[in-house]
Amino acid sequence: MPSFVLLSFDQDNQFKLFRKVKNVILAIESSCDETSASICVDGKVMNNVIATQEIHSKYGGVVPELASRAHQQAIGPVVKEAMATANVTMSDLDAIAFTQGPGLLGALLVGGAFAKSMALALNIPLIGVHHMKAHILAHFIEEPKPKFPFLCLTVSGGHTQIVRVDDYLDMAILGQTTDDAVGEAFDKCAKLMGLPYPGGPLIDKLAKEGNENKFTFNETLMPGLDYSFSGIKTGFMNFLNKEKMKDPDFVEKNKKDLCASIQRHLIDMLLSKLELAARQERVNQVAIAGGVSANSGLRTKLEQLSKPNGWEVFIPRFEYCTDNAGMIGMTAHYQQLAGDTVPLTASPMPRMKF
């Protein structure tokens, strides 16, 4: 991007010349089954190009090797489109950011190798971004933005966390799942009902027409602010098997009510801990992030809880809830301001620590 000149007066009333160069970051996201690229200029996300991989629906879940191959095919065109729609050339770039982890190893390798190659060729800094922290900082892409400190319930296919956020790069996990993530629970319960992958959005859709109080399920109790969802799938499976012994068509006859009931159950588990965390931390700024934050039932229940608890609630736009490079670019902006870059020898970290 072109630089521009600002003129101002110094103490002796003489003109001083300042040159300000816009900071342009190309961000790449490839942690799972979306290939995404974005241009971030001075902390403003200019675009968010995403290529979604449809092939995994055949197998009922993400196949890592197929995901890696799809990333290899998509990453060049996706990056090219992001740069073209932002009117950015190679010489305009000041840094390359990529998702370093957590995620699927093969998928991370593709994005990381592409980013490192560009950074090496252009002799510009490389920024390795933590995927889950980026989900939280997606709240700073658009208005309204939360004020510090705030709590963020981060919910996705692989993670469920309650995080206290004291600054852009100062975060601490207060509670998290000890086994399955809530996104996994949604997808596994959907599969048990014969719904195709990804099942979470389909449960959300069918739940709108169902009775959420028709069926009840046992809750997994965990100490403190931690979660456990592994038993939910087993309990749901046992419940369905028992009912199908009485009526083989039980699921088809009750699918909407089943979806509404299991969704309510999972959302209640999530929000009960969030309420506890807000009381313990004495924080009234509350946010949700991650793919499951696109769930309409979760959004509605969170808004309902905001009034009695005095919360100000923040939810990103849908395209910034799922995996995307816009959130990677936003996080990289703050990391670059802090001088937080990585060497060209940086490796992907599938289990990258928070």
Side-chain angles (χ1 to χ4, degrees), residues 82-133:
M83 294 182 66
T85 55
N87 195 28
V88 164
T89 65
M90 293 287 189
S91 60
D92 296 324
L93 297 176
D94 296 296
I96 309 291
F98 71 105
T99 302
Q100 191 171 6
L104 301 175
L105 177 57
L108 293 170
L109 276 168
V110 175
F114 195 96
K116 288 192 281 187
S117 298
M118 287 192 69
L120 175 63
L122 298 173
N123 193 29
I124 57 178
L126 182 68
I127 303 171
V129 174
H130 191 290
H131 182 80
M132 298 312 296
K133 292 182 179 180

Side-chain angles (χ1 to χ4, degrees), residues 235-278:
F236 190 67
M237 178 179 64
N238 292 338
F239 171 79
L240 293 183
N241 289 339
K242 181 180 178 181
E243 294 299 326
K244 284 191 289 185
M245 289 179 67
K246 305 174 188 175
D247 180 2
D249 297 322
F250 172 79
V251 173
E252 287 304 315
K253 290 178 180 177
N254 297 276
K255 190 168 285 185
K256 293 177 181 178
D257 292 338
L258 285 167
C259 288
S261 297
I262 191 63
Q263 177 167 284
R264 175 197 56 78
H265 183 66
L266 292 169
I267 289 172
D268 286 349
M269 287 179 65
L270 290 171
L271 295 183
S272 63
K273 296 279 184 164
L274 184 61
E275 277 192 286
L276 178 59

Side-chain angles (χ1 to χ4, degrees), residues 13 24 47 52 60 67 137 150 189 198 235 319 344:
N13 210 34
V24 183
N47 54 20
T52 301
L137 293 186
F150 68 92
C189 289
E319 71 172 290
L344 292 173

Side-chain angles (χ1 to χ4, degrees), residues 3 98 175 317 327 341 349:
S3 62
F98 71 105
R317 191 149 49 98
M327 68 183 192
T341 61
M349 303 173 69

Side-chain angles (χ1 to χ4, degrees), residues 15-34:
F15 275 117
K16 292 184 70 176
L17 194 64
F18 296 88
R19 181 172 298 276
K20 180 181 179 183
V21 180
K22 289 189 176 182
N23 188 42
V24 183
I25 298 173
L26 166 65
I28 295 169
E29 153 62 18
S30 68
S31 63
C32 191
D33 60 340
E34 273 99 14

